[in-house]
């Protein structure tokens, strides 16, 4: 009789299918260090010069119609019930709309909840990549033409939660060529600005977020919080820790202050995903009075976010997932990424699923370190670099731990201008 296959890390990690938190039950040890590649600008400064040709599809997506020649848009839109089509926008090289396809079962959030093996998640994405030949050919053609300067904007108007950053360019010929580790990728969506009372438009221009850091840290429930605290302390950040009384509400009050000198808002805690977006929460996993739900965050203006217009990093499970309001039933999806973009953030980093505590802390510390040591890299380029490290670490015979590390890295997505650079300053500088 064949020996029973050992449970995957995801299976061993999740005690129940409850969808919540940056779970400390998901064990992860830091992967081996990978020698960083030389830092280069992923998008050259001169690409902010627009071309004359206008793209009507970009207008519909609230993306500037005068795209730089190195920017392409991957447009995913619903076509009937549980079907979708993709098409590619570019000044010179467009991808015609594909035939409608059925919804794939590729949501990372759902797969983790269902305890899918890490190697099975990877295999599913490999098969999905293989059958999307036209899309792969289009991206490869653009990459051959623009190289490291290519930027891909992913505009997904479905609720299928396909992890597009994990699409492989040549799944069998050259495995592990994930677009999110090879190409500067950002996401964008329709956002109603609470400041302008109009739709936001994504533009492509050299941009800097310069200023101080404010953070909320759930240090009483998260493994790895000590490393985050040490990194944030070195930054001389304003830190609200859950070990202090009423800290999350004090942090919320701080975000309502009229400060215009903060480049980075960092939130490290548990996150819950619900059918009703108003019930989604950030904060403690166990204490309701130490949580902020989406409805509470919307009630009062987040003046610090509006005036500073910095980067917001939501290092909590499911923080980039969205839902349609079940009462008003409008197609406009709501979530924490949408909320902070609407409040004026220039960019927001969130997660597509549950992320292990130790890994999440490591990822945040690496991102902050890269922002300090590679100041020429945009936020989107830093995410690409961190994903690339996990890919390089796979080797020829990856362990489950290495596979899970890979999946975790691709859970982090960025919404915003691909050319925005984060300049972290200490208090008093």
């Amino acid at each position: 009789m064949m020996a029973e296959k050992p449970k995957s890390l995801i299976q061993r990690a999740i005690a129940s299918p409850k969808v919540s938190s940056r779970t400390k039950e998901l064990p992860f040890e830091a992967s081996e260090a990978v020698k960083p590649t030389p830092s280069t600008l992923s998008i050259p400064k001169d690409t902010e010069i627009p071309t004359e040709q206008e793209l009507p599809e970009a207008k519909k997506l609230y993306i500037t119609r005068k795209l730089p020649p190195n920017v392409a848009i991957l447009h995913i839109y619903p076509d009937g019930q549980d079907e979708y089509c993709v098409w590619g926008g570019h000044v010179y090289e467009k991808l015609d709309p594909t035939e409608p396809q059925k919804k794939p079962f590729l949501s990372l959030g759902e797969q983790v909840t269902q305890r899918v093996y890490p190697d099975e998640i990877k295999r599913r994405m490999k098969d999905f990549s293989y059958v999307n030949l036209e899309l792969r050919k289009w991206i490869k053609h653009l990459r051959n033409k623009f190289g490291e300067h290519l930027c891909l904007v992913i505009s997904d108007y479905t609720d299928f939660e396909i992890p597009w950053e994990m699409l492989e360019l040549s799944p069998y010929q050259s495995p592990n060529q994930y677009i999110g580790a090879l190409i500067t990728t950002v996401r964008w969506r329709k956002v109603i600005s609470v400041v302008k009372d109009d739709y936001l438009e994504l533009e492509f221009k050299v941009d800097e977020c310069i200023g101080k850091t404010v953070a909320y840290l759930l240090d009483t429930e998260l493994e790895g919080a000590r490393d985050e605290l040490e990194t944030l302390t070195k930054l001389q950040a304003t830190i609200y820790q859950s070990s202090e009384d009423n800290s999350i509400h004090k942090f919320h009050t701080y975000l309502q202050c009229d400060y215009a000198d903060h480049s980075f808002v960092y939130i490290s805690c548990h996150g819950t995903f619900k059918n009703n977006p108003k019930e989604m929460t950030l904060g403690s996993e166990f204490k309701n009075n130490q949580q902020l739900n989406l409805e509470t965050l919307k009630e009062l203006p987040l003046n610090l976010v509006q005036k500073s217009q910095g980067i917001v990093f939501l290092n909590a499970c499911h923080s980039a997932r969205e839902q349609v309001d079940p009462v008003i039933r409008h197609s406009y999806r709501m979530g924490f990424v949408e909320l902070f973009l609407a409040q004026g953030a220039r960019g927001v980093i969130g997660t597509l699923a549950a992320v292990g505590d130790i890994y999440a802390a490591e990822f945040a510390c690496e991102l902050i370190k890269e922002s300090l040591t590679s100041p020429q890299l945009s936020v989107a380029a830093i995410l690409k670099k961190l994903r690339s490290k996990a890919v390089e670490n796979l080797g020829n015979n990856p362990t489950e731990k290495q596979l899970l590390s890979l999946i975790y890295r691709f859970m982090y997505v960025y919404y915003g201008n691909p050319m925005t650079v984060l300049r972290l300053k200490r208090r008093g500088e």
Side-chain angles (χ1 to χ4, degrees):
M1 184 173 66
M2 294 180 61
E4 182 180 355
K5 184 176 180 180
K7 291 183 179 181
S8 70
L9 289 182
I10 291 179
Q11 284 186 305
R12 293 198 300 267
I14 302 177
S16 70
K18 177 184 177 182
V19 180
S20 70
S21 82
R22 209 184 80 179
T23 54
K24 61 185 178 184
E25 289 84 6
L26 283 170
F28 177 80
E29 295 180 4
S31 58
E32 295 181 5
V34 178
K35 185 178 180 180
T37 54
S39 300
T40 57
L41 274 172
S42 289
I43 302 176
K45 293 185 178 180
D46 59 2
T47 59
E48 68 177 316
I49 301 175
T51 60
E52 293 301 321
Q53 184 174 353
E54 293 186 347
L55 300 175
E57 66 269 20
K59 181 180 180 181
K60 294 177 184 178
L61 293 171
Y62 300 95
I63 298 174
T64 179
R65 287 182 290 170
K66 295 183 177 180
L67 292 176
N70 67 317
V71 174
I73 305 172
L74 175 58
H75 180 189
I76 307 104
Y77 60 97
D79 188 283
Q81 186 175 6
D82 287 337
E83 290 190 338
Y84 74 99
C85 293
V86 303
W87 59 308
H90 186 259
V91 173
Y92 306 117
E93 306 289 342
K94 295 184 180 180
L95 172 67
D96 292 333
T98 62
E99 293 294 324
Q101 301 296 331
K102 294 289 186 181
K103 171 187 175 180
F105 298 105
L106 295 174
S107 164
L108 292 178
E110 292 177 2
Q111 289 187 88
V112 170
T113 299
Q114 295 166 6
R115 309 176 188 181
V116 177
Y117 287 92
D119 56 346
E120 175 63 16
I121 294 175
K122 185 176 184 298
R123 187 193 63 78
R124 290 179 180 181
M125 281 308 302
K126 189 183 193 78
D127 291 341
F128 178 75
S129 302
Y130 177 68
V131 298
N132 279 276
L133 177 61
E134 292 82 5
L135 174 57
R136 291 192 289 110
K137 289 172 66 175
W138 176 67
I139 296 176
K140 284 196 285 188
H141 177 77
L142 291 172
R143 185 166 178 260
N144 289 337
K145 186 170 184 177
F146 295 101
E148 288 296 314
H149 300 308
L150 177 63
C151 172
L152 182 67
V153 180
I154 300 170
S155 293
D156 191 339
Y157 278 74
T158 72
D159 59 358
F160 300 165
E161 298 187 320
I162 300 172
W164 293 102
E165 290 84 355
M166 287 191 73
L167 185 83
E168 294 189 59
L169 292 181
S170 302
Y172 289 98
Q173 183 181 17
S174 301
N176 302 329
Q177 287 189 343
Y178 299 101
I179 62 173
L182 296 174
I183 300 169
T184 300
T185 59
V186 302
R187 292 194 174 210
W188 192 244
R189 49 151 294 155
K190 185 184 292 186
V191 179
I192 301 174
S193 168
V194 299
V195 180
K196 301 178 181 178
D197 198 24
D198 200 354
Y199 293 111
L200 295 178
E201 185 178 81
L202 179 64
E203 297 184 350
F204 306 89
K205 59 183 180 180
V206 177
D207 187 30
E208 291 183 329
C209 289
I210 305 175
K212 298 182 293 187
T213 299
V214 59
Y216 172 74
L217 183 60
L218 189 68
D219 59 337
T220 53
E221 297 181 24
L222 299 179
E223 291 186 64
R226 181 180 298 178
D227 294 334
E228 292 171 278
L229 179 60
E230 181 180 346
T231 299
L232 292 167
T233 301
K234 288 180 180 178
L235 267 181
Q236 298 182 1
T238 301
I239 308 170
Y240 292 87
Q241 300 172 236
S242 59
S243 52
E244 303 168 353
D245 292 338
N246 207 30
S247 58
I248 196 166
H249 300 291
K250 292 178 181 178
F251 170 74
H252 185 203
T253 300
Y254 190 90
L255 294 184
Q256 297 165 39
C257 296
D258 291 329
Y259 298 131
D261 56 352
H262 286 65
S263 64
F264 194 40
V265 176
Y266 179 65
I267 303 175
S268 176
C269 61
H270 291 299
T272 60
F273 183 64
K274 304 286 187 177
N275 290 330
N276 188 335
K278 294 179 180 179
E279 298 174 359
M280 296 178 188
T281 65
L282 295 172
S284 171
E285 183 179 13
F286 312 107
K287 301 176 182 178
N288 293 338
N289 64 345
Q290 292 299 316
Q291 295 176 349
L292 293 173
N293 61 35
L294 195 65
E295 185 73 2
T296 300
L297 285 168
K298 282 188 172 183
E299 286 178 353
L300 297 170
L302 305 180
N303 295 317
L304 181 148
V305 179
Q306 293 182 15
K307 294 180 182 298
S308 295
Q309 297 183 339
I311 300 296
V312 176
F313 184 1
L314 305 171
N315 202 4
C317 286
H318 315 290
S319 57
R321 300 179 74 183
E322 305 168 328
Q323 283 282 21
V324 170
D325 189 301
V327 177
I328 64 174
R329 304 183 71 181
H330 193 279
S331 61
Y332 186 87
R333 300 196 306 279
M334 301 177 185
F336 291 111
V337 168
E338 177 266 337
L339 177 139
F340 282 100
L341 288 174
Q343 289 285 336
R346 250 178 283 194
V348 180
I349 303 169
T351 66
L352 299 174
V355 183
D357 290 3
I358 295 175
Y359 169 77
E362 179 192 60
F363 185 89
C365 292
E366 283 191 43
L367 184 140
I368 292 172
K369 180 180 178 181
E370 285 289 347
S371 296
L372 293 170
T373 59
S374 303
Q376 79 278 22
L377 288 182
S378 67
V379 176
I382 290 175
L383 262 67
K384 179 185 74 170
K385 185 175 181 180
L386 297 184
R387 297 186 194 114
S388 179
K389 288 183 180 181
V391 175
E392 292 175 18
N393 193 46
L394 283 178
N396 295 325
N397 297 297
T399 64
E400 262 191 327
K401 186 182 296 184
Q402 290 169 330
L403 289 170
L404 190 55
S405 173
L406 175 82
I407 294 166
Y408 279 152
R409 297 238 167 178
F410 279 87
M411 287 182 184
Y412 288 89
V413 294
Y414 170 74
Y415 284 77
N417 177 7
M419 302 178 74
T420 297
V421 174
L422 178 60
R423 308 280 192 192
L424 297 171
K425 294 177 62 177
R426 293 173 175 84
R427 281 178 293 182
E429 291 184 346

